[in-house]
Amino acid sequence: MNDTLLPGLYIVATPIGNLQDVSRRQEMVLRQADIVAAEDSRVTAKLLNHLEIRKPITAYHDHSADAVRAKLVEQMGDKAVALVSDAGTPLISDPGYKLVRDARVAGHLVTTIPGPCAAVAALTLAGLPTDRFLFAGFLPSKAKARADAIAELGAVRATLIFYETGPRLAKALNALAEGLGDREAAVAREISKAFEETVNGSLSELAARYADAPPKGEIVIVIGPPGDAEATSETDIDAALADALERLPPGKAAREVAKALKVSSDGLYERAMALKAGE
Ligand code: SAM
């Protein structure tokens, strides 16, 4: 039994590069926790050493065997378990959601000790609209899957946020320019570290900038929402559908138009059928 912390699960955010970003509460929970569950025990050991905290670390990943998760959940009955990831907020493109799910199902205390998250930090740096945003994690690395993922996001009227790596950056920016149109964007790199840098430009400008010089370090891409000029009228959609129906059956025509005009495919098939029927 722990004298300071109630038993349960403590989701503890950690710095994304600058160790001075550890909050007093994060440090207190890591110090007092009975168990620290971490994605990579070597990475977390460095943070604990910096804080002069000595305690064993249990490796935990959402792909860990069910038995590992079940044991941690059982331990939460009378122990304080702190969950950390390598950097930033656990569960955000990082392990943890299954552990939280099972801890809640078991009726344990689940609480969070909030802190850095690269996606939100990049959004604050980018100078792009912040009222609506969609975090889309890492894009797939294979070209077709990446293009499909981008096409799904084309009609979303929000700022988009992606995690990326240096070697893949230029390809990703090109695919984004192709799939979303040449929107305003920002590449935020090495946030909170010595070489922090945020570069603004259109997607094609940024793709050209990084084409021959893949940047080092950790990267977030932030992309502004589609402008009003890109809003597509029903007349435009009907004209494109009518054109496509001369060559294609309604399902294919609807898919082609959704992709070409970067509009949602919702209702397009029905509209194509209606046009075909002469309505
Ligand atoms: N859970 C973390 C969070 O809250 O941000 C994200 C973990 S994800 C596995 C790692 C990715 O986050 C990196 O590949 C990079 O895209 C982004 N990232 C993490 N730290 C960063 C930093 N200091 N600057 C820019 N991007 C960062």
Side-chain angles (χ1 to χ4, degrees), residues 189-225:
R189 200 169 69 79
E190 295 288 86
I191 300 168
S192 79
K193 306 189 204 179
F195 297 103
E196 175 178 318
E197 170 188 70
T198 302
V199 180
N200 285 84
S202 71
L203 283 167
S204 64
E205 286 164 356
L206 291 169
R209 176 187 173 119
Y210 294 113
D212 298 322
K216 292 207 169 66
E218 300 194 277
I219 291 161
V220 183
I221 303 173
V222 186
I223 303 173

Side-chain angles (χ1 to χ4, degrees), residues 227-243:
D228 285 342
E230 290 169 51
T232 310
S233 71
E234 282 185 15
T235 318
D236 293 338
I237 293 173
D238 277 3
L241 275 175
D243 179 55

Side-chain angles (χ1 to χ4, degrees), residues 41-268:
S41 41
R42 287 161 307 177
V43 175
T44 298
K46 282 188 197 152
L47 175 68
L48 296 189
N49 281 339
H50 169 78
L51 300 172
E52 298 182 353
I53 296 172
R54 312 259 172 265
K55 67 180 57 181
I57 299 167
T58 301
Y60 175 74
H61 205 280
D62 280 338
H63 306 303
S64 300
D66 288 349
V68 177
R69 185 162 57 251
K71 184 163 179 215
L72 279 170
V73 172
E74 190 192 320
Q75 288 172 312
M76 289 169 206
D78 62 356
K79 290 187 169 53
V81 176
L83 172 70
V84 298
S85 57
D86 286 356
T89 301
L91 282 83
I92 307 302
S93 287
D94 266 337
Y97 108 83
K98 290 182 181 170
L99 192 63
V100 171
R101 177 196 64 192
D102 291 4
R104 300 193 84 83
V105 168
H108 296 312
L109 166 81
V110 177
T111 190
T112 188
I113 321 297
C117 174
V120 173
L123 181 65
T124 64
L125 287 168
L128 292 165
T130 54
D131 52 336
R132 296 183 83 208
F133 59 90
L134 186 148
F135 171 63
F138 288 96
L139 282 167
S141 52
K142 296 218 167 94
K144 164 86 170 76
R146 183 171 56 213
D148 289 349
I150 293 170
E152 275 180 25
L153 296 169
V156 175
R157 305 193 72 78
T159 291
L160 304 176
I161 307 174
F162 298 91
Y163 285 162
E164 210 22 284
T165 63
R168 299 182 352 160
L169 180 64
K171 268 194 186 155
L173 290 166
N174 270 317
L176 286 160
E178 198 170 304
L180 300 177
D182 201 11
R183 295 190 198 171
E184 283 307 303
V187 171
R189 200 169 69 79
E190 295 288 86
I191 300 168
S192 79
K193 306 189 204 179
F195 297 103
E196 175 178 318
E197 170 188 70
T198 302
V199 180
N200 285 84
S202 71
L203 283 167
S204 64
E205 286 164 356
L206 291 169
R209 176 187 173 119
Y210 294 113
D212 298 322
K216 292 207 169 66
E218 300 194 277
I219 291 161
V220 183
I221 303 173
V222 186
I223 303 173
D228 285 342
E230 290 169 51
T232 310
S233 71
E234 282 185 15
T235 318
D236 293 338
I237 293 173
D238 277 3
L241 275 175
D243 179 55
L245 282 167
E246 287 179 14
R247 294 173 282 110
L248 299 167
K252 283 192 174 164
R255 278 199 294 281
E256 181 184 277
V257 168
K259 199 170 171 194
L261 298 186
K262 302 184 182 64
V263 294
S264 164
S265 56
D266 292 351
L268 275 195

